[in-house]
Amino acid sequence: MPLHCGQFKLDLSRPLVMGIVNVTPDSFSDGGRGADAALRHALELLEQGADILDIGGESTRPGAAPVSEQQELDRVLPVLEGLRGVAVPLSIDTYKPVVMRAALAAGASMVNDVDAFQADGAFEAVADSGAALCVMHRKGSAQTMQLQPSYEDVVAEVMAFLHGRIVAAQQHCIARDRIVVDPGFGFGKTLEHNLTLLRELDALSCLGVPVLAGISRKSMIGMLTGRDVEQRAFGSVAAALMAVEHGARIVRVHDVAGTVDALKVWQAVRQD
Ligand code: HH2
């Protein structure tokens, strides 16, 4: 079943690469870009084969400085406007309904919310747009999520939460074919939780909607490889490949070129 994403219908029979475009001073791996630099970066990611671009104006890393609605709009709108008309869907990474509405009006056709549309008015902001929604699991708030997260059964808990959010979306007249779910690697999870989720990612397929995985350059890659954030591309490509092997249909990555090549190899082998 294709994913309805504004005017796009995304065929997920091949896994897709979502390229990350942060317009933030403080993102954990690639902060420091203003709107002009972010726009140039977005065009580079398109050249490298990104299937979707995810534009974000506020860092989600623990302890990141909160950003006002106006600041976030000032960061992301020039980038969305500069990319208007490109051949791939533009996703806005935000949990703020005001930013969702403005981004949709500026041409975004997907809303990626690390808070799973739990803010008042979030589902309403997206409902009538026809845009796709990425619903992500996070345990705790941005401030508390990495303070000793614990689960009885991480996979079951993540699935129950995501199932509840799919039902809530449907109650807002958002059809299933617009929804993608994401277990939220690194959001209120230890290394062990992240590894369990990756190993058992196939379980999420029974939710009946496509799965997106965002592992790129995250601390789990740092812990496993001993590498600093800017040296985590190879580990991240391996993790993206594992996610796809375990059912992910979209991978959210910083290193688009390497991930595109790896998935071409994966695809050729799988088709045999
Ligand atoms: N991870 C980050 C941000 N948004 N969205 C989804 N759906 N899934 C993720 O795993 C995810 C996300 C964090 O990564 P990044 O954007 O590179 O960093 P920062 O939040 O510091 O800007």
Side-chain angles (χ1 to χ4, degrees):
M1 183 170 68
L3 177 69
H4 279 247
C5 193
Q7 78 269 36
F8 297 90
K9 276 200 179 68
L10 294 182
D11 171 13
L12 299 177
S13 59
R14 150 181 95 77
L16 300 186
V17 175
M18 171 187 259
I20 301 170
V21 182
N22 285 320
V23 202
T24 54
D26 57 348
S27 282
F28 78 92
S29 85
D30 63 348
R33 284 199 193 94
D36 287 347
L39 189 52
R40 280 196 299 278
H41 184 62
L43 295 172
E44 276 167 25
L45 297 188
L46 281 181
E47 291 255 306
Q48 292 173 19
D51 300 294
I52 306 171
L53 293 174
D54 188 39
I55 295 138
E58 176 171 2
S59 173
T60 59
R61 74 180 165 75
V67 171
S68 72
E69 286 171 358
Q70 193 54 52
Q71 270 176 308
E72 196 174 331
L73 290 169
D74 290 345
R75 290 178 183 178
V76 297
L77 288 182
V79 180
L80 284 165
E81 275 149 19
L83 291 170
R84 206 189 260 280
V86 294
V88 306
L90 304 176
S91 160
I92 177 73
D93 186 349
T94 189
Y95 58 88
K96 299 188 185 94
V98 168
V99 178
M100 293 176 187
R101 284 183 191 275
L104 291 167
S109 43
M110 181 167 189
V111 178
N112 170 27
D113 183 355
V114 299
D115 197 31
F117 299 84
Q118 294 180 99
D120 280 348
F123 278 134
E124 288 82 352
V126 187
D128 291 337
S129 67
L133 291 80
C134 178
V135 175
M136 197 195 81
H137 175 272
R138 172 173 70 186
K139 180 137 184 163
S141 68
Q143 285 71 39
T144 63
M145 65 185 183
Q146 286 308 106
L147 305 174
Q148 296 189 317
S150 75
Y151 300 82
E152 287 267 311
D153 177 338
V154 65
V155 177
E157 206 171 305
V158 166
M159 281 179 63
F161 173 83
L162 294 174
H163 173 69
R165 298 314 293 158
I166 295 171
V167 171
Q170 288 178 309
Q171 284 163 352
H172 287 81
C173 300
I174 294 165
R176 226 167 223 284
D177 64 2
R178 292 171 56 194
I179 302 173
V180 174
V181 291
D182 179 343
F185 288 98
F187 286 83
K189 282 119 190 157
T190 63
L191 174 60
E192 215 36 66
H193 296 140
N194 288 319
L195 289 174
T196 303
L197 279 168
L198 186 48
R199 220 175 271 130
E200 298 182 28
L201 199 63
D202 301 271
L204 269 64
S205 301
C206 76
L207 292 168
V209 299
V211 174
L212 182 151
I215 312 177
S216 184
R217 299 189 189 174
K218 285 192 177 165
S219 63
M220 70 179 275
I221 305 295
M223 289 180 200
L224 295 171
T225 60
R227 303 257 177 221
D228 287 339
V229 86
E230 62 284 356
Q231 294 178 325
R232 294 181 189 162
F234 300 140
S236 299
V237 171
L241 215 48
M242 292 301 291
V244 165
E245 183 67 17
H246 285 286
R249 295 279 84 196
I250 305 176
V251 284
R252 181 181 181 277
V253 305
H254 301 87
D255 303 291
V256 168
T259 310
V260 166
D261 279 4
L263 290 180
K264 281 182 181 161
V265 175
W266 179 88
Q267 181 79 12
V269 175
R270 294 298 285 188
Q271 268 176 356
D272 276 358

